[in-house]
Amino acid sequence: MRLSIIGAGYVGLVSGAAFAEFGHDVIIMDIDRERIAKLQRGIVPIHEPGLDRLLDKNSDRISYTSNMEEAVREADIHFICVWTPPLEDGSADLSAVRAVARELGKQFVKLKVKTPIIVTKSTVPVGTGVAIQRLVRQSYKGDFSVVSNPEFLRESQAVADMLRPDRIVVGSNDPDAAKTIAGVYHDVNAPIIMTDLATAEMIKYAANAFLATKISFINEVANICEIVGADVERVAEGIGHDPRIGKAFLKAGMGYGGSCFPKDVRALHQFSNASGYDFKLLKSVIEVNEQQRQMIVDKVNKHLKILNGKNILVLGLAFKAHTDDVRESGALDIIERLQIQGANITAFDPLALLNAKKKLNDLVILVGNAHEGAVGADAIIVATEWPDFKELDWERIQSVMRKPLIIDGRNLLDPSEMRKLKFIYEGVGR
Ligand SMILES: NC(=O)c1ccc[n+]([C@@H]2O[C@H](COP(=O)([O-])OP(=O)(O)OC[C@H]3O[C@@H](n4cnc5c(N)ncnc54)[C@H](O)[C@@H]3O)[C@@H](O)[C@H]2O)c1
């Protein structure tokens, strides 16, 4: 099949590479000319393990363009993979999706296209597929279909998730178009959930909201564990073996972040409200997540009392390990809260320093390794669960700190080992 991918971000590039691997001809389009120019030169603009290899391996089936006309000419099925960032009120900003829909409509007319299919892979609120239909119809009067095919990939393992998904959701009010889109995944061994547009759009939000709920749930359990003297890590283990609960997403810590969970939970809450339904549980999920971040700051305050002039090393800036993505990263939020109190922040991340630099103010000193940042520190906050941090020479780090305090926002380190090394150690719920 001939596919266009509109939006060359995490979802677009990984989908494009995987579709080419499945044997399709793929044209990847983005309005960011610089990004496209890089891709044309073989430079992958994001860090995602295995992505450069997959793009390279399938390079004879993949082309890049910043021209929508070319994308429409070279493909019959158009996957919208553009961003849908949050607006002030929590709702999803659909301006990029709408712009793409309008432009597709115009190009369909100009190129006299026959029966194209538009697929949303971007995460969009229920009703967006129908809105896209209306926007395209403003210029294009021929037959076309809209399909929702939400994406569930996880950054840092996105390539594996795309090549071997645990399920594929295809929603459309046109069964033939839905069948065609299911066919894009002909070689993939995964259950395919065929449904209508609205249900497919809802599945994506329900999935992310459920996972976020699990995280906020275990964080609340962690907080009560601290009060009554229980260990949340063992509680998570004790409940996780129950297959009805499952082990995943039971890691207590400083809350969820990233480009998806915070925005999707808020968007579901917002569009529930707008539809006249008060989704009470989600309000609490959001509140608990914010509270977890403040709790890390409170723990620092508890030990250091006054933060003005204190040196704090933040270990980890990415929103999770194995990625360079700092969007809605808890680390950045905590740094801001500490700076308000006058703390001097030094920070290190194995992969995300460049992206973090764009978002942090000049007062934050970024260092090339943890040891350098620890010199003279009054506290270290572990903000990302990078496994590398476990392997640091903690004895040496302890010896160069002004106060050997560790606040482990990810429960990454072994409390008894840290205490043996004469650290004051605080995790979350243990
Ligand atoms: N990142 C994830 O882990 C993930 C997982 C599942 C779903 N999603 C959803 O997929 C969508 C894309 O996410 P992402 O992380 O890939 O975003 P991203 O920010 O990495 O990439 C978005 C790309 O879209 C391009 N773009 C914006 N407007 C455009 C336009 N009018 N025409 C062409 N290109 C345009 C941008 O230049 C950018 O390169 C979002 O809705 C997101 O919620 C993301």
Side-chain angles (χ1 to χ4, degrees):
M1 295 186 206
R2 301 189 320 150
L3 315 177
S4 89
I5 301 287
I6 301 159
Y10 287 87
V11 167
L13 286 176
V14 176
S15 307
F19 290 160
E21 174 77 8
F22 300 158
H24 306 299
D25 291 320
V26 175
I27 180 159
I28 299 180
M29 185 271 169
D30 201 292
I31 39 164
D32 184 340
R33 286 165 192 272
E34 210 179 300
R35 181 165 278 235
I36 290 299
K38 270 190 187 162
L39 286 160
Q40 283 166 336
R41 292 201 306 274
I43 303 166
V44 181
I46 55 169
H47 173 85
E48 196 52 57
L51 177 59
D52 34 7
R53 217 160 23 94
L54 198 65
L55 286 169
D56 186 48
K57 181 179 168 212
N58 294 290
S59 58
D60 52 343
R61 276 195 290 274
I62 304 176
S63 59
Y64 304 95
T65 182
S66 49
N67 180 323
M68 185 68 101
E69 182 176 337
E70 193 184 340
V72 172
R73 196 183 311 114
E74 296 299 319
D76 314 298
I77 300 172
H78 309 282
F79 284 84
I80 302 181
C81 303
V82 299
W83 51 41
T84 51
L87 288 169
E88 196 66 27
D89 66 352
S91 62
D93 180 353
L94 296 175
S95 53
V97 173
R98 287 195 207 99
V100 170
R102 278 193 208 97
E103 192 54 32
L104 282 174
K106 283 183 199 152
Q107 295 302 335
F108 291 164
V109 176
K110 188 170 173 191
L111 298 170
K112 300 194 175 64
V113 164
K114 294 250 160 52
T115 60
I117 301 178
I118 300 172
V119 188
T120 48
K121 242 194 195 309
S122 295
T123 302
V124 292
V126 178
T128 306
V130 173
I132 290 174
Q133 249 154 3
R134 271 200 306 270
L135 285 168
V136 173
R137 180 83 58 223
Q138 282 174 3
S139 42
Y140 181 71
K141 309 296 177 202
D143 277 346
F144 71 99
S145 309
V146 176
V147 176
S148 165
N149 172 218
E151 185 47 56
F152 302 96
L153 62 78
R154 294 160 293 177
E155 280 178 30
S156 81
Q157 33 201 330
V159 170
D161 285 348
M162 262 306 293
L163 294 176
R164 291 178 293 281
D166 41 31
R167 84 288 209 191
I168 295 157
V169 174
V170 179
S172 182
N173 301 337
D174 172 351
D176 289 338
K179 242 187 254 162
T180 303
I181 298 311
V184 170
Y185 297 89
H186 56 89
D187 274 347
V188 178
N189 182 20
I192 301 190
I193 292 109
M194 304 288 275
T195 182
D196 57 87
L197 256 181
T199 306
E201 289 168 338
M202 191 64 189
I203 286 171
K204 173 65 192 177
Y205 281 98
N208 275 1
F210 183 77
L211 294 171
T213 303
K214 245 183 134 179
I215 295 173
S216 280
F217 174 81
I218 199 68
N219 280 334
E220 289 256 79
V221 173
N223 298 343
I224 186 66
C225 278
E226 279 189 15
I227 296 168
V228 299
D231 180 346
V232 71
E233 291 291 311
R234 306 313 304 269
V235 173
E237 195 187 340
I239 63 174
H241 282 287
D242 183 332
R244 293 169 304 174
I245 296 174
K247 290 179 191 159
F249 283 76
L250 287 182
K251 188 81 186 154
M254 47 189 252
Y256 57 80
S259 69
C260 291
F261 284 3
K263 112 177 142 62
D264 294 347
V265 175
R266 283 205 299 268
L268 177 54
H269 185 248
Q270 191 278 340
F271 77 75
S272 300
N273 258 335
S275 313
Y277 182 72
D278 180 14
F279 204 143
K280 297 187 198 74
L281 181 60
L282 281 192
K283 207 159 124 198
S284 300
V285 169
I286 296 165
E287 268 173 30
V288 171
N289 203 54
E290 273 162 21
Q291 161 193 296
Q292 288 310 109
R293 290 172 179 192
Q294 182 55 38
M295 248 184 39
I296 299 296
V297 177
D298 292 346
K299 282 175 194 275
V300 181
N301 276 120
K302 187 177 94 185
H303 290 277
L304 299 185
K305 310 286 187 272
I306 293 164
L307 297 194
N308 195 20
K310 298 278 164 58
N311 302 327
I312 298 174
L313 168 64
V314 175
L315 282 185
L317 294 163
F319 82 91
K320 67 173 183 180
H322 307 291
T323 178
D324 63 347
D325 195 346
V326 297
R327 289 179 286 183
E328 299 249 9
S329 161
L332 303 196
D333 185 3
I334 285 171
I335 288 175
E336 208 179 306
R337 290 171 199 238
L338 295 167
Q339 282 191 318
I340 289 171
Q341 295 190 55
N344 305 320
I345 307 294
T346 303
F348 168 69
D349 189 285
L351 214 57
L353 284 178
L354 247 138
N355 283 341
K357 198 174 161 58
K358 294 178 204 150
K359 301 226 171 175
L360 291 167
N361 58 42
D362 293 344
L363 295 174
V364 179
I365 299 170
L366 299 175
V367 289
N369 63 67
H371 292 99
E372 187 187 337
V375 177
D378 296 291
I380 291 179
I381 297 175
V382 179
T384 310
E385 65 283 19
W386 280 103
D388 321 30
F389 295 158
K390 274 202 230 178
E391 311 307 326
L392 291 170
D393 183 348
W394 285 102
E395 196 168 359
R396 200 173 123 213
I397 288 180
Q398 204 274 3
S399 70
V400 297
M401 289 177 76
R402 192 154 71 180
K403 187 178 168 93
L405 170 63
I406 296 184
I407 307 295
D408 187 353
R410 298 293 176 190
N411 284 353
L412 181 78
L413 307 169
D414 182 332
S416 55
E417 263 178 41
M418 289 299 122
R419 289 183 188 126
K420 243 191 260 162
L421 294 175
K422 306 245 172 339
F423 276 106
I424 306 161
Y425 174 91
E426 275 220 37
V428 178
R430 58 199 320 209

Short mmCIF file of all heavy atoms in Angstrom, two decimals, residues 394-418:
data_model
loop_
_atom_site.label_atom_id
_atom_site.label_comp_id
_atom_site.label_asym_id
_atom_site.label_seq_id
_atom_site.Cartn_x
_atom_site.Cartn_y
_atom_site.Cartn_z
N TRP A 394 28.73 5.42 44.89
CA TRP A 394 28.02 6.20 45.91
C TRP A 394 28.92 6.53 47.11
O TRP A 394 28.74 7.54 47.77
CB TRP A 394 26.75 5.48 46.36
CG TRP A 394 25.67 5.60 45.31
CD1 TRP A 394 25.29 4.65 44.40
CD2 TRP A 394 24.89 6.77 45.02
NE1 TRP A 394 24.30 5.15 43.57
CE2 TRP A 394 24.03 6.45 43.94
CE3 TRP A 394 24.81 8.05 45.56
CZ2 TRP A 394 23.13 7.37 43.41
CZ3 TRP A 394 23.91 8.96 45.04
CH2 TRP A 394 23.08 8.62 43.96
N GLU A 395 29.91 5.66 47.34
CA GLU A 395 30.83 5.92 48.46
C GLU A 395 31.60 7.22 48.18
O GLU A 395 31.74 8.09 49.03
CB GLU A 395 31.79 4.74 48.61
CG GLU A 395 32.48 4.74 49.95
CD GLU A 395 33.20 3.41 50.19
OE1 GLU A 395 33.14 2.51 49.32
OE2 GLU A 395 33.83 3.31 51.25
N ARG A 396 32.08 7.31 46.93
CA ARG A 396 32.83 8.50 46.54
C ARG A 396 31.92 9.74 46.55
O ARG A 396 32.32 10.81 47.00
CB ARG A 396 33.41 8.28 45.12
CG ARG A 396 34.56 9.20 44.81
CD ARG A 396 35.18 8.83 43.49
NE ARG A 396 35.17 9.97 42.58
CZ ARG A 396 35.03 9.89 41.27
NH1 ARG A 396 34.87 8.71 40.69
NH2 ARG A 396 35.05 10.96 40.53
N ILE A 397 30.71 9.54 46.08
CA ILE A 397 29.75 10.65 46.05
C ILE A 397 29.51 11.16 47.48
O ILE A 397 29.52 12.36 47.75
CB ILE A 397 28.44 10.22 45.37
CG1 ILE A 397 28.68 10.07 43.86
CG2 ILE A 397 27.30 11.20 45.64
CD1 ILE A 397 27.49 9.65 43.05
N GLN A 398 29.31 10.21 48.39
CA GLN A 398 29.05 10.57 49.79
C GLN A 398 30.19 11.44 50.32
O GLN A 398 29.97 12.41 51.04
CB GLN A 398 28.90 9.28 50.61
CG GLN A 398 28.10 9.42 51.88
CD GLN A 398 28.96 9.88 53.07
OE1 GLN A 398 30.15 10.15 52.92
NE2 GLN A 398 28.33 9.99 54.22
N SER A 399 31.42 11.08 49.93
CA SER A 399 32.59 11.76 50.49
C SER A 399 32.75 13.20 50.01
O SER A 399 33.41 14.00 50.65
CB SER A 399 33.86 10.96 50.18
OG SER A 399 34.12 11.07 48.78
N VAL A 400 32.10 13.55 48.87
CA VAL A 400 32.27 14.92 48.36
C VAL A 400 31.07 15.83 48.64
O VAL A 400 31.10 17.02 48.35
CB VAL A 400 32.59 14.95 46.84
CG1 VAL A 400 33.90 14.24 46.54
CG2 VAL A 400 31.44 14.35 46.02
N MET A 401 30.00 15.24 49.21
CA MET A 401 28.81 16.06 49.48
C MET A 401 28.98 16.86 50.78
O MET A 401 29.73 16.46 51.66
CB MET A 401 27.56 15.16 49.61
CG MET A 401 27.13 14.56 48.29
SD MET A 401 25.72 13.46 48.48
CE MET A 401 24.35 14.62 48.71
N ARG A 402 28.24 17.99 50.85
CA ARG A 402 28.31 18.76 52.09
C ARG A 402 27.40 18.11 53.14
O ARG A 402 27.72 18.02 54.30
CB ARG A 402 27.86 20.20 51.81
CG ARG A 402 28.16 21.16 52.94
CD ARG A 402 28.32 22.56 52.41
NE ARG A 402 27.02 23.11 51.99
CZ ARG A 402 26.88 24.35 51.49
NH1 ARG A 402 27.95 25.13 51.35
NH2 ARG A 402 25.71 24.79 51.12
N LYS A 403 26.24 17.62 52.68
CA LYS A 403 25.33 16.87 53.55
C LYS A 403 24.88 15.63 52.77
O LYS A 403 24.37 15.77 51.66
CB LYS A 403 24.13 17.75 53.92
CG LYS A 403 23.20 17.15 54.95
CD LYS A 403 22.08 18.14 55.29
CE LYS A 403 20.98 17.47 56.08
NZ LYS A 403 21.11 17.58 57.50
N PRO A 404 25.07 14.45 53.35
CA PRO A 404 24.81 13.23 52.55
C PRO A 404 23.33 12.83 52.54
O PRO A 404 22.96 11.78 53.04
CB PRO A 404 25.66 12.18 53.26
CG PRO A 404 25.70 12.64 54.68
CD PRO A 404 25.61 14.14 54.69
N LEU A 405 22.52 13.69 51.92
CA LEU A 405 21.08 13.44 51.90
C LEU A 405 20.63 12.99 50.51
O LEU A 405 20.96 13.63 49.51
CB LEU A 405 20.35 14.75 52.28
CG LEU A 405 18.83 14.77 52.10
CD1 LEU A 405 18.13 13.76 53.00
CD2 LEU A 405 18.28 16.19 52.36
N ILE A 406 19.89 11.87 50.46
CA ILE A 406 19.33 11.41 49.18
C ILE A 406 17.81 11.34 49.30
O ILE A 406 17.29 10.68 50.21
CB ILE A 406 19.82 9.99 48.81
CG1 ILE A 406 21.32 9.99 48.57
CG2 ILE A 406 19.10 9.49 47.56
CD1 ILE A 406 21.84 8.65 48.11
N ILE A 407 17.14 12.03 48.41
CA ILE A 407 15.69 11.87 48.30
C ILE A 407 15.47 11.11 47.00
O ILE A 407 15.71 11.62 45.91
CB ILE A 407 14.96 13.24 48.25
CG1 ILE A 407 15.38 14.14 49.43
CG2 ILE A 407 13.45 13.05 48.19
CD1 ILE A 407 14.99 13.65 50.80
N ASP A 408 15.04 9.87 47.14
CA ASP A 408 14.92 8.98 45.99
C ASP A 408 13.48 9.00 45.48
O ASP A 408 12.63 8.25 45.95
CB ASP A 408 15.34 7.56 46.42
CG ASP A 408 15.40 6.60 45.26
OD1 ASP A 408 15.01 6.98 44.14
OD2 ASP A 408 15.86 5.45 45.47
N GLY A 409 13.23 9.88 44.52
CA GLY A 409 11.87 10.05 44.00
C GLY A 409 11.40 8.89 43.15
O GLY A 409 10.26 8.89 42.69
N ARG A 410 12.25 7.91 42.92
CA ARG A 410 11.86 6.76 42.09
C ARG A 410 12.06 5.43 42.79
O ARG A 410 11.96 4.36 42.14
CB ARG A 410 12.68 6.76 40.78
CG ARG A 410 12.46 7.98 39.91
CD ARG A 410 11.06 8.02 39.35
NE ARG A 410 10.82 9.23 38.59
CZ ARG A 410 9.61 9.59 38.17
NH1 ARG A 410 8.55 8.85 38.42
NH2 ARG A 410 9.45 10.71 37.51
N ASN A 411 12.37 5.47 44.06
CA ASN A 411 12.67 4.23 44.81
C ASN A 411 13.63 3.33 44.03
O ASN A 411 13.42 2.12 43.90
CB ASN A 411 11.37 3.46 45.12
CG ASN A 411 10.60 4.12 46.26
OD1 ASN A 411 11.09 5.06 46.89
ND2 ASN A 411 9.41 3.62 46.52
N LEU A 412 14.68 3.97 43.52
CA LEU A 412 15.62 3.25 42.66
C LEU A 412 16.73 2.58 43.46
O LEU A 412 17.18 1.48 43.12
CB LEU A 412 16.24 4.26 41.67
CG LEU A 412 17.22 3.70 40.67
CD1 LEU A 412 16.48 2.98 39.54
CD2 LEU A 412 18.11 4.79 40.06
N LEU A 413 17.16 3.24 44.52
CA LEU A 413 18.33 2.77 45.25
C LEU A 413 17.92 1.87 46.41
O LEU A 413 16.76 1.87 46.84
CB LEU A 413 19.13 3.97 45.77
CG LEU A 413 19.50 5.00 44.68
CD1 LEU A 413 20.05 6.27 45.30
CD2 LEU A 413 20.51 4.39 43.71
N ASP A 414 18.89 1.10 46.91
CA ASP A 414 18.62 0.19 48.02
C ASP A 414 18.80 0.97 49.34
O ASP A 414 19.92 1.38 49.67
CB ASP A 414 19.62 -0.97 47.93
CG ASP A 414 19.39 -2.00 49.03
OD1 ASP A 414 18.90 -1.61 50.11
OD2 ASP A 414 19.72 -3.18 48.80
N PRO A 415 17.71 1.17 50.09
CA PRO A 415 17.79 2.01 51.29
C PRO A 415 18.86 1.52 52.28
O PRO A 415 19.62 2.33 52.82
CB PRO A 415 16.40 1.89 51.92
CG PRO A 415 15.52 1.41 50.84
CD PRO A 415 16.36 0.66 49.86
N SER A 416 18.93 0.19 52.49
CA SER A 416 19.88 -0.28 53.52
C SER A 416 21.33 -0.07 53.06
O SER A 416 22.19 0.31 53.86
CB SER A 416 19.61 -1.74 53.90
OG SER A 416 19.64 -2.51 52.75
N GLU A 417 21.57 -0.26 51.76
CA GLU A 417 22.94 -0.01 51.27
C GLU A 417 23.31 1.46 51.41
O GLU A 417 24.43 1.80 51.79
CB GLU A 417 23.03 -0.38 49.78
CG GLU A 417 23.59 -1.77 49.57
CD GLU A 417 23.62 -2.12 48.10
OE1 GLU A 417 23.96 -1.25 47.27
OE2 GLU A 417 23.28 -3.28 47.79
N MET A 418 22.37 2.32 51.09
CA MET A 418 22.63 3.76 51.18
C MET A 418 22.89 4.16 52.63
O MET A 418 23.78 4.95 52.91
CB MET A 418 21.44 4.56 50.62
CG MET A 418 21.30 4.45 49.13
SD MET A 418 22.75 5.10 48.26
CE MET A 418 23.24 3.70 47.32
#
